[in-house]
């Protein structure tokens, strides 16, 4: 099948986590004016677009993924005028802007949920959410056995307005994130309008949160499996009643029509923890979304066979539906890849690292992370970067537990540390308060000691720094059109992977011995070659073949 073309099919998209990117007012929480002031950094780095995690009014029970108003900006982050200014400045710098849309659930502070709580069972207000009577003679048992992704039951019981215990509502995530009822046409109409609200303001697309969760199996059948963050449905198990139901696709077909009625190419990106790759490809059929995150790639072990298999499978699955493949190694929900790749257990879904846990090998992790990034940026398709990875930033792996804010930590009964370690405010200037994150020392999560060495100003202009390695890779990727090339494998052994794309030969050495580079002019490498000009372990090279 022919693959679609547009800016997004080969774009490198940089994820900004607004709380932790840049703080303009010194309250310790990043904000929109802070982002606008730092957009020059991203243009210089050479990315094509930014995706902003939620900045909407929210009690911040899940760092803004609990939205109380879809058409405004939380005063923590600024105002709608600040959002307009950000979009305008991004455009002036040639950057596209993607915003986050959270349709699976609202905040419990949303006016709809507040109305539902005071309304009667069976009322139209309750019909916007998933309310059910409890089981047992007094209704004290939840309507089914579903577990919340953050731990504990996925149901919370209301106290009715008359003071008596009442109905239960479903929340696949935190209690403060009630799931919407997408069988209700009012919900569908509302979100079409929310899309238009942001499209009219000039955004270039939406990253769709929990895109695989909106429709639940009608009978809400029991499901014994515990839920975990990062878990979708495993390839070899039956499909859970809360994930990846066929009905979700109709919703995205409707959204696509709205996007297509606007000028330019506005895009939808699915966040869906769904396996196998063929199931995720269903979200990017020609009349649905444009992209879906490739989490199977993110979770793959750092070995030649595992990387070869996931790259090949990913390309085949998206080619079959004519969509571009995407690649991602880090985001705000996973352990940063500079640390993840330094853990002794490779692959899988580790959920946070803290004091007392086995610590990653930082040097090994960074070396592999840089090799993985150069491998990723040489692949055809679109790639996602998470703020700070261009600095080689590791996870904060010794964050004091009392500083943790991710609801996972409490809801899992302190068994899952959660995602705070990748969300720490990033360092810009080594010698400034909060390493230049803001004008004061305030930082909503404590920054680790030794953060200075990762600061942008320590790396700019320093040959071989992680920052300059990313910048060169992004420039070469653009110059050679790697994002729109075609991958041709030259070798896929146990020790090395070698492929060709758009006139470049790319080699990654996963083995224990150094290997000769491919013939041709060495254009880039994730670390220096050895004294004999060979490619050491955990290094990727880009060569222009002769
Ligand atoms: C996925 C988001 O990336 C994550 O941060 C959030 O907690 C859940 N969806 C719930 O909205």
């Amino acid at each position: 099948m022919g693959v679609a073309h547009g800016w997004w099919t080969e774009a490198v998209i940089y994820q900004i986590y607004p709380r932790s990117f840049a703080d303009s007012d010194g309250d310790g929480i990043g904000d929109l004016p802070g982002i606008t002031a730092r957009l020059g950094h991203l243009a210089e780095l050479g990315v094509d677009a930014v995706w902003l995690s939620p900045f909407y009014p929210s009690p911040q029970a899940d760092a803004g993924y609990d939205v109380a108003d879809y058409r405004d900006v939380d005063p923590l982050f600024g105002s709608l005028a600040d959002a307009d200014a950000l979009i305008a400045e991004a455009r002036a710098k040639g950057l596209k802007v993607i915003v986050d849309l959270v349709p699976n659930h609202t905040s419990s502070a949303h006016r709809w949920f507040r109305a539902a709580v005071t309304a009667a069972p069976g009322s139209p207000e309750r019909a916007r959410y998933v309310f059910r009577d409890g089981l047992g003679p007094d209704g004290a048992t939840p309507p089914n056995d579903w577990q919340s992704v953050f731990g504990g039951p996925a149901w919370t019981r209301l106290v009715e307005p008359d003071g008596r215990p009442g109905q239960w509502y479903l929340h696949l995530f935190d209690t403060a994130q009630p799931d919407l009822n997408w069988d209700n046409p009012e919900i569908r109409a509302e979100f079409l309008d929310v899309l238009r609200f942001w499209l009219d303001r000039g955004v270039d697309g939406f990253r769709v949160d929990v895109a695989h969760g909106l429709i639940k199996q009608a009978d809400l059948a029991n499901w014994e499996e515990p839920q975990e963050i990062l878990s979708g449905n495993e390839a070899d198990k039956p499909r859970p009643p809360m994930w990846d139901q066929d009905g979700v696709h109709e919703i995205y077909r409707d959204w696509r029509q709205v996007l297509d009625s606007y000028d330019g190419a506005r895009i939808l990106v699915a966040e869906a923890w769904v396996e196998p790759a063929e199931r995720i490809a269903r979200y990017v059929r020609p009349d649905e979304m444009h992209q879906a995150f490739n989490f199977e790639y993110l979770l793959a072990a750092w070995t030649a066979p595992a990387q070869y298999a996931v790259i090949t499978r990913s390309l085949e699955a998206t080619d079959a539906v004519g969509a571009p493949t995407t690649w991602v190694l880090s985001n705000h929900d996973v352990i940063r890849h500079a640390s993840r790749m330094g853990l002794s257990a490779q692959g899988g879904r580790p959920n946070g690292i803290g004091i007392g846990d086995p610590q990653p090998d930082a040097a090994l992790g960074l070396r592999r992370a840089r090799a993985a990034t150069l491998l990723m940026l040489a692949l055809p398709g679109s790639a996602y970067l998470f703020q700070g990875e261009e600095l080689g930033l590791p996870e904060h792996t010794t964050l004091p537990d009392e500083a943790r804010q991710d609801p996972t930590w409490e809801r899992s009964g302190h068994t899952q540390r959660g995602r705070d370690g990748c969300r720490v405010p990033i360092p810009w200037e080594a010698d400034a308060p909060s390493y230049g994150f803001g004008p004061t020392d305030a930082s909503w999560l404590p920054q680790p000691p030794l953060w200075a060495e990762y600061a942008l100003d320590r790396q700019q202009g320093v040959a071989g720094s992680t920052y300059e390695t990313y910048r060169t890779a992004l420039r070469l990727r653009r110059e050679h059109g790697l994002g729109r090339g075609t991958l041709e494998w030259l070798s896929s052994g146990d020790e090395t992977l070698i492929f060709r794309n758009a006139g470049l030969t790319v080699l990654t050495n996963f083995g224990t011995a150094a290997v000769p580079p491919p013939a041709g002019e060495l254009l880039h490498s994730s670390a220096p070659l050895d004294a004999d000009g060979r490619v050491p372990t955990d290094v990727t090279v880009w060569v222009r073949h002769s």
Side-chain angles (χ1 to χ4, degrees), residues 15 17 51 53 62-63 65-66 100 102 104-105 149-150 173 177 207 209-210 229 271 273 331-333 406-407 419 423:
Q15 180 188 357
Y17 196 63
W51 145 38
S53 280
D62 183 23
Y65 282 94
D66 47 322
D100 219 307
V102 189
N104 180 67
H105 43 264
V149 172
F150 294 154
F173 295 88
Q177 292 168 298
R207 174 264 189 195
D209 190 65
V210 198
I229 187 77
E271 188 239 8
W273 293 88
N331 67 29
H332 66 294
D333 289 329
D406 181 351
R419 302 158 294 171
R423 299 176 174 181

Coordinates of all heavy atoms in Angstrom, one line a residue, residues 15 17 51 53 62-63 65-66 100 102 104-105 149-150 173 177 207 209-210 229 271 273 331-333 406-407 419 423, ligand 1:
Q15 N 8.3 16.4 22.6 CA 7.3 16.5 23.7 C 7.7 17.4 24.8 O 8.8 17.3 25.4 CB 7.0 15.1 24.3 CG 5.9 15.2 25.4 CD 5.8 14.0 26.3 OE1 6.4 12.9 26.0 NE2 4.9 14.0 27.3
Y17 N 6.7 18.8 28.4 CA 5.9 18.5 29.6 C 5.8 19.9 30.3 O 6.8 20.3 31.0 CB 6.6 17.5 30.4 CG 5.7 16.8 31.5 CD1 4.6 16.1 31.1 CD2 6.0 16.9 32.8 CE1 3.7 15.5 32.0 CE2 5.2 16.3 33.8 CZ 4.1 15.6 33.4 OH 3.3 15.0 34.3
W51 N 4.8 18.8 20.9 CA 3.5 18.3 21.5 C 3.6 18.7 22.9 O 4.6 18.5 23.6 CB 3.4 16.8 21.3 CG 2.8 16.1 22.4 CD1 1.7 16.5 23.2 CD2 3.1 14.8 23.0 NE1 1.3 15.6 24.1 CE2 2.2 14.5 24.1 CE3 4.1 13.9 22.7 CZ2 2.3 13.4 24.9 CZ3 4.2 12.7 23.5 CH2 3.3 12.5 24.6
S53 N 2.0 18.4 26.6 CA 1.1 17.7 27.5 C 0.1 18.7 28.1 O 0.3 19.9 28.0 CB 2.0 17.0 28.6 OG 2.5 15.8 28.1
D62 N -3.7 14.2 38.4 CA -2.8 13.3 37.6 C -2.0 14.3 36.6 O -2.0 14.1 35.4 CB -3.6 12.3 36.8 CG -2.7 11.4 36.0 OD1 -1.5 11.2 36.3 OD2 -3.2 10.8 35.0
A63 N -1.4 15.3 37.2 CA -0.5 16.2 36.5 C -1.2 16.8 35.2 O -0.6 16.9 34.2 CB 0.8 15.6 36.1
Y65 N -3.7 15.5 33.5 CA -4.5 14.5 32.7 C -5.9 14.3 33.3 O -6.6 13.3 33.1 CB -3.7 13.2 32.5 CG -2.7 13.4 31.4 CD1 -1.4 13.7 31.7 CD2 -3.0 13.2 30.1 CE1 -0.4 13.9 30.7 CE2 -2.1 13.4 29.1 CZ -0.8 13.7 29.4 OH 0.2 13.9 28.4
D66 N -6.2 15.2 34.2 CA -7.6 15.3 34.8 C -8.1 16.7 34.5 O -7.8 17.7 35.2 CB -7.5 15.1 36.3 CG -6.4 15.9 37.0 OD1 -5.3 16.0 36.5 OD2 -6.6 16.3 38.1
D100 N -2.6 18.2 23.7 CA -3.0 16.9 24.2 C -4.5 16.9 24.4 O -5.1 17.9 24.9 CB -2.3 16.7 25.6 CG -1.9 15.3 25.8 OD1 -2.8 14.4 25.7 OD2 -0.7 15.0 26.2
V102 N -7.7 14.8 26.1 CA -8.0 13.7 27.1 C -9.5 13.3 27.1 O -10.2 13.8 27.9 CB -7.5 14.2 28.5 CG1 -7.6 13.0 29.5 CG2 -6.1 14.8 28.5
N104 N -11.0 10.2 27.4 CA -11.5 9.0 28.1 C -12.2 9.4 29.4 O -13.1 8.7 29.8 CB -10.3 8.0 28.4 CG -10.8 6.8 29.1 OD1 -11.6 6.0 28.5 ND2 -10.5 6.6 30.4
H105 N -11.6 10.4 30.1 CA -12.2 10.8 31.4 C -12.0 12.3 31.5 O -11.2 12.9 30.9 CB -11.4 10.1 32.5 CG -9.9 10.1 32.2 ND1 -9.2 9.1 31.6 CD2 -8.9 11.1 32.4 CE1 -7.9 9.4 31.5 NE2 -7.7 10.6 32.0
V149 N -5.8 1.5 36.6 CA -4.4 1.4 36.0 C -3.4 1.9 37.1 O -2.3 1.4 37.1 CB -4.3 2.3 34.7 CG1 -2.9 2.4 34.3 CG2 -5.2 1.7 33.7
F150 N -3.8 2.8 38.0 CA -2.9 3.3 39.0 C -3.0 2.4 40.3 O -2.4 2.8 41.3 CB -3.3 4.7 39.4 CG -3.1 5.7 38.3 CD1 -3.8 6.9 38.2 CD2 -2.1 5.5 37.3 CE1 -3.6 7.8 37.2 CE2 -1.9 6.4 36.3 CZ -2.7 7.6 36.2
F173 N -8.5 5.2 35.7 CA -7.3 5.8 36.3 C -7.6 6.2 37.7 O -8.2 5.4 38.5 CB -6.8 6.9 35.4 CG -6.3 6.3 34.0 CD1 -7.2 6.2 33.0 CD2 -5.0 5.9 33.9 CE1 -6.8 5.6 31.8 CE2 -4.6 5.3 32.7 CZ -5.5 5.2 31.6
Q177 N -10.6 10.9 38.2 CA -10.7 10.9 36.7 C -11.8 10.0 36.2 O -11.6 8.9 35.7 CB -9.4 10.4 36.1 CG -8.2 11.3 36.3 CD -6.8 10.7 36.0 OE1 -6.5 9.7 36.7 NE2 -6.1 11.2 35.1
R207 N -2.7 15.0 20.3 CA -2.2 13.7 20.8 C -3.4 13.2 21.6 O -3.8 13.9 22.5 CB -0.9 13.9 21.6 CG -0.4 12.6 22.3 CD -0.9 12.6 23.7 NE -0.2 11.6 24.5 CZ -0.7 11.2 25.7 NH1 -1.8 11.7 26.2 NH2 -0.1 10.2 26.3
D209 N -5.1 11.0 24.3 CA -4.8 10.3 25.5 C -5.7 9.0 25.6 O -6.9 9.1 25.4 CB -5.0 11.2 26.7 CG -4.5 10.6 28.0 OD1 -3.3 10.4 28.1 OD2 -5.4 10.3 28.9
V210 N -5.1 7.9 26.0 CA -5.9 6.6 26.2 C -6.9 6.4 25.0 O -8.0 6.1 25.2 CB -6.7 6.7 27.5 CG1 -7.1 5.2 27.9 CG2 -5.9 7.3 28.6
I229 N 0.1 0.5 34.8 CA 0.5 1.6 33.9 C 1.4 1.0 32.8 O 2.2 0.1 33.1 CB 1.2 2.7 34.7 CG1 1.4 3.9 33.8 CG2 2.5 2.3 35.3 CD1 0.2 4.7 33.5
E271 N -2.5 7.7 21.5 CA -1.7 7.0 22.6 C -2.6 5.8 22.9 O -3.6 5.9 23.6 CB -1.6 8.0 23.8 CG -0.7 7.4 24.8 CD -1.3 7.1 26.2 OE1 -2.5 7.3 26.4 OE2 -0.6 6.8 27.1
W273 N -2.0 1.8 24.3 CA -1.1 0.7 24.7 C -1.8 -0.6 24.2 O -2.4 -1.3 25.0 CB -0.8 0.7 26.2 CG 0.0 1.9 26.6 CD1 -0.5 3.1 26.9 CD2 1.4 2.0 26.7 NE1 0.5 4.0 27.3 CE2 1.7 3.3 27.1 CE3 2.4 1.1 26.5 CZ2 3.0 3.7 27.3 CZ3 3.7 1.5 26.7 CH2 4.0 2.8 27.1
N331 N 9.1 9.1 27.2 CA 8.0 10.1 27.4 C 7.8 10.3 28.9 O 8.6 9.8 29.7 CB 6.8 9.7 26.6 CG 6.1 8.4 27.2 OD1 6.2 8.1 28.3 ND2 5.5 7.7 26.3
H332 N 6.7 11.0 29.2 CA 6.5 11.3 30.6 C 5.9 10.2 31.4 O 5.6 10.4 32.6 CB 5.6 12.5 30.7 CG 4.2 12.2 30.2 ND1 3.9 11.9 28.9 CD2 3.0 12.1 30.8 CE1 2.7 11.6 28.7 NE2 2.1 11.7 29.9
D333 N 5.7 9.0 30.8 CA 5.2 7.9 31.6 C 6.2 6.7 31.8 O 5.8 5.7 32.4 CB 4.0 7.3 30.8 CG 2.8 8.2 30.8 OD1 2.6 8.9 31.8 OD2 2.0 8.2 29.8
D406 N 3.0 11.4 41.7 CA 2.3 10.5 40.8 C 1.3 9.7 41.6 O 1.7 9.0 42.6 CB 3.2 9.5 40.1 CG 2.5 8.6 39.1 OD1 1.3 8.6 39.1 OD2 3.2 7.9 38.3
P407 N 0.0 9.7 41.3 CA -1.0 9.0 42.1 C -0.8 7.5 42.1 O -1.2 6.8 43.0 CB -2.4 9.3 41.3 CG -2.0 9.9 40.0 CD -0.7 10.5 40.2
R419 N 5.9 7.6 38.0 CA 6.5 8.3 36.9 C 7.2 9.6 37.2 O 7.6 10.3 36.3 CB 5.5 8.5 35.8 CG 4.8 7.1 35.4 CD 3.5 7.3 34.8 NE 2.5 7.9 35.7 CZ 1.3 8.3 35.4 NH1 0.9 8.3 34.2 NH2 0.5 8.8 36.3
R423 N 10.0 13.2 35.2 CA 9.2 14.5 35.0 C 9.9 15.7 35.7 O 9.3 16.7 35.9 CB 7.8 14.3 35.6 CG 7.0 13.2 34.9 CD 5.7 13.0 35.5 NE 4.9 12.1 34.7 CZ 3.7 11.7 35.0 NH1 3.1 12.1 36.1 NH2 3.0 10.8 34.2
Ligands
LIG1 C1 -1.7 8.5 29.5 C2 -0.9 9.7 29.9 O1 0.2 9.7 29.2 C3 -0.7 9.5 31.4 O2 0.3 10.4 31.9 C4 -1.9 9.6 32.2 O3 -1.7 9.3 33.5 C5 -3.0 8.6 31.6 N1 -3.0 8.6 30.2 C6 -4.4 9.0 32.1 O4 -4.8 10.1 31.5

